[in-house]
Amino acid sequence: MAQYMGQPIFILKEGTQRTRGRDAQYNNIMAAKAVANAVKTTLGPKGMDKMLVDPLGDIVITNDGVTILKEMDIEHPAAKMVVEVAKTQDDEVGDGTTTAAVLAGELLEKAEDLLEQDVHPTIIASGYRLASKKAEESLNEFATPVSADDEEVLTKLAVTAMTGKGAESARDKLAKICVDAVRAVVEESNGKKDVDIDNIKVEKKVGGSIEDTTMVNGMIIDKERVHANMPKKVSNAKIALLSCAIELKDTEVDAEIQITSPDQLQQFLDQEEKMLKDMVQKIVDVGANVVFCQKGIDDMAQHFLSKAKVLAVRRVRKSDIEKLSRATGGKIITSLDDIKPEDLGEAELVEERKVGTEDMIFVTGCKNPKSVSILVRGGTEHVVDEVERALTDALRVVEAAVETEKLVAGGGAPEIELALRLREYANTLKGREQLAVQAFADSLEIIPRMLAENAGLDPIDKLVELRSAHEDGKVNAGLDVFTGEVVDMWEKGVIEPLKVKTQAISSAAETAVMVLRIDDVIAASKEKEGGEGGTPDIGGEGGTGDFE
C-alpha cells in the first residue's frame, strides 16, 4: 500500500504477504537449511532411513534423498528450490541426490555468515560462481580415466552406489546384474558409447528374497495368456506386435440395423464371426505364433487364436510394446490389413512362468537383445521398492561411467581435495570474492563431516586427519566409515563417476546463488481456509517452520 495526498493506494491484493530485504534472505536460507537438515542423516553407508507416511496411510521407507524430498509435502518456495536440486541430480545422474541437497543447504548457511559480516549478496554469488567453475576444473584434473569395458571397476561403482541402501545384503550379486544389464544395452556411435537406460526394464514381484533377483536377456511382461487353451511355451517364436485391437470396430456414426427375421439375425452373427476369423487368419497366414496386443482381444478371437495354437497377450503397455520391438526386431503394426511376414519379431523362446502367485510372460533369446529385464524380488513390498531404488541408482551410475569414462574416489576424498585447492585459489583473488570462495571450500567439507557423524565418529578429528592426508598429496584419501580410518578410497574400491560430483556441485551452487539474489518475497493470499498469517512454511502451519 502506498499513500498519495493522504489517500491510500492499494498496489497488492488484500491479504498478500510481503517480506523484504534481510528478512526475506534469512527466511529463505532458513527454509533451505531445514530441507538439507532433513536428509543429512541419510548420507553415506551408515546413514539412517526415513519412514514417510502419506495422507492415505501408505508408507515409504528409504534413505534415498530424492525420494524423501519428493514424498515430503514441502510448501515454502525456497525449500522447494532445494528439492529441485535433488530432482535435477536424480534426472541427470541418478545418484548423489542427498549430496546435492546437503551441499546447497550448507552453501546458504555459510552465505548467511557472510551476510552478517555485511558482504553483499551479489559478491557472494560472484565468488560462488568462481568457486564452482574452479571446482569443476580441478575435478577434471584429478579424475581417473577408465575403460567402459573394465568390468571390475564398473562393479565397484555399482557396489558403492548401493552401499547403505536396503539392498546391501545382496549388493555383490545386484552390482553384477547392473553391470551386465548396462553392458548389454551399450551402443556405439561415432566412437562414443551411448546407454539408453530405458532399454533396461525393472519389474518388481513380492516374494522370495533379495538374492532371488535375476536378469533376463530379453523381456518380462507382467501379463498372462488370454486363453487357457493357448500354448504356455512357444519355441522359435514369430512375434506380431499390434497397436490395434483384435475386435470389431463400432461405427463412428449412429447406425441402426433393422432385422425382421431370425435368419437375418443369424446371418448378422455369422458375419461378425467371419470378420473376427478373417482377422485371426491374417495373423496366422503371415506365420505368427505369438501375439502381443496393446489393446483388447475379442472373446471369439481368443477362441480362434487358441485353436491356431497362437499364444496371445492383450493390454500390453505401450512402453513394453516398444521395448519388445527393439528386442525382437519386430515392427509395431497399426492395421492387420498391412501385416507382412517381414514385420514379425523373432525370439528363441516365449513362455509363461509362475512368479510368486502370478503368471508372467518371458521373452528370451531375442534377435537383438538391446532390451533386457531385471526381475526384483524381496520379502515385502517395502523391501522390493527399496531394492528397485538401489538398483536404479546403480544402473544410472554405471551408465554415467560408461558414457563419460572418468571416475573419482568416494568417501569424502574429492570434497576434501577440492576444499584444499579452493583455499589456495582464494588466496590468489583480490576483493571480497575471496571470502565467498573460502566459504565454498568450507561448505564442501560438510560431506566428509556428515559421513563421520553418521558413522558415530568424531567429525572434527576425522576432518583434521583427512586434511593432513591431502596436504601430503594423497588425493584419494577418504574416510572408511566401517573402520574409522583414513585410507586410499581407490584401493578400497569406493569410487564414483565424475559426473555425480560435477553435477552436484554445479546445481547446488546455482541454486544457492539464485536464493541469495532474492531480496523480496511477495506471496499471494491463499483462497482456502487456514491459509492466512505467517510466511509460507515448510510444515504448512504458519511461521517459518522446521521438520518437527
Side-chain angles (χ1 to χ4, degrees):
M1 188 177 77
Q3 282 204 336
Y4 176 69
M5 304 284 285
Q7 191 73 24
I9 300 165
F10 288 96
I11 298 164
L12 298 172
K13 259 173 97 173
E14 195 178 348
T16 302
Q17 303 245 335
R18 188 172 185 186
T19 321
R20 280 183 275 193
R22 281 287 165 90
D23 283 348
Q25 284 165 340
Y26 287 144
N27 272 351
N28 287 341
I29 289 171
M30 195 158 82
K33 275 161 55 181
V35 171
N37 288 338
V39 292
K40 262 184 187 175
T41 56
T42 68
L43 192 70
K46 294 281 188 96
M48 303 299 280
D49 291 1
K50 306 278 181 199
M51 179 188 275
L52 305 153
V53 187
D54 72 5
L56 298 172
D58 290 335
I59 300 166
V60 175
I61 300 167
T62 183
N63 69 358
D64 184 41
V66 74
T67 307
I68 295 165
L69 296 176
K70 275 182 187 171
E71 292 287 332
M72 278 163 48
D73 197 8
I74 289 173
E75 201 172 307
H76 195 288
K80 283 181 180 174
M81 290 167 75
V82 177
V83 177
E84 288 302 314
V85 172
K87 282 185 182 172
T88 306
Q89 182 77 11
D90 190 47
D91 293 342
E92 282 294 307
V93 207
D95 196 22
T97 51
T98 308
T99 300
V102 167
L103 196 51
E106 191 66 14
L107 285 169
L108 287 166
E109 189 167 333
K110 297 294 183 212
E112 192 175 17
D113 298 340
L114 292 176
L115 288 172
E116 282 170 2
Q117 293 170 37
D118 283 331
V119 180
H120 198 274
T122 53
I123 290 171
I124 301 172
S126 170
Y128 275 8
R129 284 196 194 101
L130 286 170
S132 173
K133 195 176 172 197
K134 181 69 179 171
E136 206 162 321
E137 285 171 14
S138 300
L139 275 167
N140 276 294
E141 279 172 26
F142 64 75
T144 308
V146 67
S147 164
D149 301 320
D150 193 334
E151 197 173 330
E152 190 186 340
V153 169
L154 294 179
T155 306
K156 285 177 183 173
L157 263 177
V159 167
T160 303
M162 276 190 268
T163 304
K165 296 211 165 61
E168 198 172 348
S169 57
R171 65 182 185 181
D172 292 334
K173 182 179 179 179
L174 295 178
K176 187 171 186 330
I177 287 173
C178 288
V179 173
D180 290 345
V182 171
R183 291 182 72 195
V185 300
V186 170
E187 290 181 19
E188 275 197 58
S189 58
N190 303 327
K192 244 187 120 189
K193 287 186 169 63
D194 187 43
V195 179
D196 185 354
I197 213 78
D198 290 339
N199 288 341
I200 300 169
K201 186 184 181 198
V202 180
E203 195 69 66
K204 300 181 289 186
K205 264 287 169 276
V206 177
S209 71
I210 301 173
E211 285 282 349
D212 297 330
T213 300
T214 54
M215 186 186 98
V216 175
N217 271 315
M219 290 291 299
I220 301 171
I221 309 293
D222 191 5
K223 296 279 175 188
E224 55 187 26
R225 298 167 299 161
V226 291
H227 198 285
N229 291 341
M230 287 177 175
K232 267 195 166 189
K233 190 189 252 188
V234 177
S235 300
N236 296 324
K238 302 280 185 224
I239 302 165
L241 305 171
L242 309 180
S243 64
C244 56
I246 311 178
E247 294 174 331
L248 296 177
K249 282 186 184 172
D250 292 331
T251 53
E252 288 185 17
V253 290
D254 287 337
E256 200 173 283
I257 300 166
Q258 286 190 338
I259 293 172
T260 54
S261 72
D263 292 347
Q264 283 179 316
L265 179 60
Q266 192 57 47
Q267 282 175 342
F268 186 75
L269 294 171
D270 289 347
Q271 184 60 27
E272 272 199 342
E273 191 176 311
K274 184 177 180 302
M275 287 166 79
L276 284 167
K277 199 169 190 176
D278 287 346
M279 290 170 92
V280 171
Q281 199 57 46
K282 281 174 187 167
I283 294 168
V284 174
D285 286 347
V286 292
N289 51 15
V290 177
V291 173
F292 287 102
C293 186
Q294 198 179 318
K295 297 192 169 79
I297 301 175
D298 189 273
D299 288 354
M300 186 62 76
Q302 290 177 26
H303 166 72
F304 291 135
L305 284 164
S306 67
K307 294 271 275 188
K309 294 282 181 272
V310 174
L311 190 158
V313 183
R314 66 176 167 181
R315 310 255 178 244
V316 180
R317 287 199 297 258
K318 187 183 179 196
S319 58
D320 286 348
I321 289 274
E322 286 168 357
K323 287 190 178 87
L324 278 166
S325 173
R326 265 196 298 268
T328 64
K331 288 180 185 164
I332 299 170
I333 295 144
T334 49
S335 167
L336 284 173
D337 294 330
D338 296 337
I339 192 165
K340 295 184 181 74
E342 56 267 27
D343 295 338
L344 302 180
E346 291 175 17
E348 284 173 21
L349 184 66
V350 176
E351 69 171 322
E352 185 182 86
R353 294 184 205 162
K354 206 161 199 66
V355 178
T357 57
E358 292 174 43
D359 292 318
M360 296 174 91
I361 302 287
F362 286 71
V363 183
T364 52
C366 296
K367 182 179 175 183
N368 171 38
K370 285 293 176 199
S371 285
V372 296
S373 302
I374 298 172
L375 181 62
V376 179
R377 306 300 307 277
T380 69
E381 206 170 316
H382 300 122
V383 171
V384 171
D385 287 345
E386 185 65 351
V387 173
E388 186 203 17
R389 282 189 281 270
L391 269 174
T392 307
D393 280 5
L395 287 168
R396 297 292 303 281
V397 159
V398 177
E399 174 198 16
V402 167
E403 288 182 349
T404 57
E405 298 192 334
K406 276 192 170 183
L407 305 177
V408 290
E415 285 84 5
I416 292 286
E417 184 64 26
L418 284 176
L420 189 71
R421 294 188 183 204
L422 285 176
R423 287 192 187 101
E424 287 171 7
Y425 172 60
N427 294 333
T428 66
L429 297 173
K430 290 173 184 171
R432 293 186 174 192
E433 278 95 346
Q434 185 184 56
L435 296 173
V437 175
Q438 281 173 344
F440 198 101
D442 294 342
S443 302
L444 286 169
E445 291 185 344
I446 187 67
I447 303 301
R449 179 190 285 269
M450 286 315 300
L451 286 174
E453 212 167 290
N454 292 344
L457 305 169
D458 187 304
I460 295 169
D461 288 352
K462 295 303 156 193
L463 267 180
V464 170
E465 277 184 55
L466 281 165
R467 282 180 190 161
S468 171
H470 280 263
E471 277 163 7
D472 291 344
K474 295 172 184 169
V475 177
N476 294 327
L479 181 65
D480 183 343
V481 293
F482 298 102
T483 62
E485 302 295 315
V486 171
V487 295
D488 188 312
M489 284 288 141
W490 196 269
E491 286 176 13
K492 195 85 183 163
V494 180
I495 45 181
E496 297 179 78
L498 170 68
K499 197 175 175 185
V500 168
K501 295 298 177 194
T502 52
Q503 181 64 44
I505 289 168
S506 64
S507 53
E510 284 165 13
T511 301
V513 165
M514 186 173 273
V515 171
L516 279 174
R517 289 175 60 89
I518 298 166
D519 75 338
D520 205 340
V521 178
I522 302 162
S525 60
K526 293 189 180 177
E527 299 292 325
K528 55 185 182 209
E529 290 181 350
E532 311 214 352
T535 47
D537 65 303
I538 294 170
E541 295 279 335
T544 43
D546 201 327
F547 302 110
E548 294 295 340

